[in-house]
Amino acid sequence: MLLKDCLAQAILSLKNSGITSANLDARVLLCHVLNCQNSYLYAHDTDSLTQDQLTTYKALITERQAHKPVAYIIGHKEFYGLDLKVNSHTLIPRPDTETLVDFALSVANSHHYQSILDLGTGSGAIILAIKKYLPNAYCMALDQSHQALAIACTNAKNLALDVDFIHSFWFDRVDRCFDLIVSNPPYIKEHDEHLKALNYEPQSALVAKDNGLENIKIIVKDACKYLNQGGCLAIEHGFDQAISCQQIFKAHNYTNVQTIKDYQGNDRVTYGFMEHICKQ
Ligand SMILES: C[S@@+](CC[C@H](N)C(=O)[O-])C[C@H]1O[C@@H](n2cnc3c(N)ncnc32)[C@H](O)[C@@H]1O
């Protein structure tokens, strides 16, 4: 079968299954099978696929028809210019989260921060992006999922980035203070309608009790014991959680509490500074 016919058939199958990004997905999956760039598909559209390639491609299209995310099918995802391995134990890093990385890099540079902790690291997306652009900072990251940590470690190794990963339930096993603490914790409300579309991703990475605020409350409350004087805590949250987050930060005596919008104009990251001396 010719490449262009195969592609057209795949796009049609995906469209018929309600996949709105059918064109892009069919191309990404074909590139994965042929181990090539998108431009190759245009230049070689009258080449024939081998039987093996065709069989593999059809299997991937079937997975996508079942609404499995492309990143899980091909096993990796680009985030902040880094190619990251992902699997069913890790959240797929989102473009929204690049807002948190942008802020972390900017505040670390302006305040000459030397040590950074990422809580709930998943694939390692946030801390690896930070370490890439702040190579001299000491970076640590933790997660409650051993399987996610294994992926984060692999990503760090593949990217030759030196980050300490530890298994910890939030601050349980953290034994030092940091200049900057960042987190993209689970913050989706239980029974939120958006969860239906996210059933391939680990629910423990997404959902939080107390209207989605349970983890944010724990982190904001405990982080003050693990921040150096003048240190900063920055947390990603839902588009409708900025006011609640700001109240939580202020209730725990953080100063200069502010919220930043993501590239789509939604409130996404709230941060504050801790002016006291760490008591750890
Ligand atoms: C929303 S995901 C974020 C993953 C990654 N940081 C990112 O932005 O793509 C939340 C992560 O927090 C982890 N997590 C959830 N509860 C935790 C806890 N109590 N202690 C440590 N990590 C936790 C989950 O395993 C998951 O990897």
Side-chain angles (χ1 to χ4, degrees), residues 156-216:
K157 198 169 162 213
N158 291 345
L159 296 163
L161 294 169
D162 184 15
V163 171
D164 280 343
F165 290 101
I166 61 166
H167 178 253
S168 181
F169 188 87
W170 297 139
F171 291 97
D172 276 7
R173 299 215 179 131
V174 179
D175 61 1
R176 55 160 289 167
C177 290
F178 292 85
D179 295 333
L180 174 62
I181 299 177
V182 293
S183 185
N184 173 18
Y187 57 70
I188 301 179
K189 300 176 188 79
E190 294 171 295
H191 314 301
D192 188 295
E193 59 177 65
H194 296 103
L195 287 170
K196 279 183 234 137
L198 302 172
N199 59 347
Y200 277 94
E201 306 205 53
Q203 298 298 292
S204 57
L206 294 167
V207 185
K209 293 184 181 144
D210 195 0
N211 255 340
L213 295 170
E214 181 187 42
N215 297 297
I216 293 174

Side-chain angles (χ1 to χ4, degrees), residues 91 93 97 120-122 125-126 142-145 168-170 184-186 204-205:
L91 189 87
T97 302
T121 198
I126 297 169
L142 62 84
D143 207 285
Q144 68 171 1
S145 160
S168 181
F169 188 87
W170 297 139
N184 173 18
S204 57

Side-chain angles (χ1 to χ4, degrees), residues 104-120:
L105 295 176
S106 144
V107 77
N109 278 318
S110 61
H111 288 67
H112 307 289
Y113 287 156
Q114 303 291 328
S115 53
I116 301 161
L117 172 67
D118 173 24
L119 301 167

Side-chain angles (χ1 to χ4, degrees), residues 208-228:
K209 293 184 181 144
D210 195 0
N211 255 340
L213 295 170
E214 181 187 42
N215 297 297
I216 293 174
K217 284 182 179 171
I218 295 171
I219 292 169
V220 175
K221 175 174 160 285
D222 290 347
C224 56
K225 290 178 270 175
Y226 296 89
L227 279 171
N228 290 323

